[in-house]
Amino acid sequence: MMMPLTFQQTATVEAMRCVRTGRGFSLVRVAPAGWAALDAEMDVLANVLGATLRRTDTVLRTRDREIGVVLIESVEEQVQPPLERIRAAAAVHLPKLELRIGWASVGPGHRRSWEEAWRWAGQLLVADAAVPAAA
């Protein structure tokens, strides 16, 4: 039986594909505000995101209170529709869970490595937490 890939392995495979094809991808980090969520809520969130995004995209819990998403062949403005779907689905299924989202693209004209993009997405995740929610 083959074990599923970890988030890091998935990102590495996608980075190798990006080198071969020249088509970029994006990494998204999703976490509840203050990382305050129960394990069950994180599982529901991961399942909701997996059901909301394309089958070719990958959604995995990367830490206890964070979910990582690999958006295949989606960069720049192409990332906005999936982010809107993420927010809308979470609002429907977990209305009390306030999310923070950070993302960055990898490939030509973007971050050089998935690790660099992951760090950048983490910085944006923290920055998103510092911006008050619209009233």
Side-chain angles (χ1 to χ4, degrees):
M1 183 165 124
M2 184 182 275
M3 296 294 295
L5 296 177
T6 66
F7 183 82
Q8 293 83 354
Q9 291 167 329
T10 302
T12 299
V13 167
E14 189 59 19
M16 290 186 298
R17 185 206 54 79
C18 178
V19 168
R20 281 191 322 273
T21 66
R23 293 190 301 257
F25 65 100
S26 294
L27 300 178
V28 180
R29 292 174 86 150
V30 181
W35 279 264
L38 301 172
D39 274 338
E41 290 174 311
M42 293 304 294
D43 289 339
V44 169
L45 180 59
N47 289 331
V48 165
L49 298 186
T52 300
L53 299 172
R54 301 172 299 185
R55 278 191 252 163
T56 55
D57 297 326
T58 301
V59 176
L60 294 168
R61 283 183 68 170
T62 59
R63 298 184 186 178
D64 289 341
R65 302 288 176 247
E66 189 172 289
I67 296 178
V69 179
V70 179
L71 296 174
I72 307 298
E73 295 187 8
S74 295
V75 295
E76 297 179 357
E77 69 279 348
Q78 299 164 333
V79 176
Q80 293 310 312
L83 294 184
E84 290 169 19
R85 289 195 307 273
I86 285 170
R87 288 188 192 282
V92 168
H93 295 282
L94 295 159
K96 295 182 183 202
L97 192 64
E98 185 180 341
L99 293 184
R100 302 297 183 219
I101 299 175
W103 66 274
S105 297
V106 180
H110 303 287
R111 305 287 169 213
R112 290 182 300 241
S113 70
W114 76 262
E115 296 92 346
E116 181 183 351
W118 187 247
R119 285 189 298 275
W120 184 253
Q123 291 174 354
L124 293 177
L125 182 82
V126 172
D128 191 30
V131 176

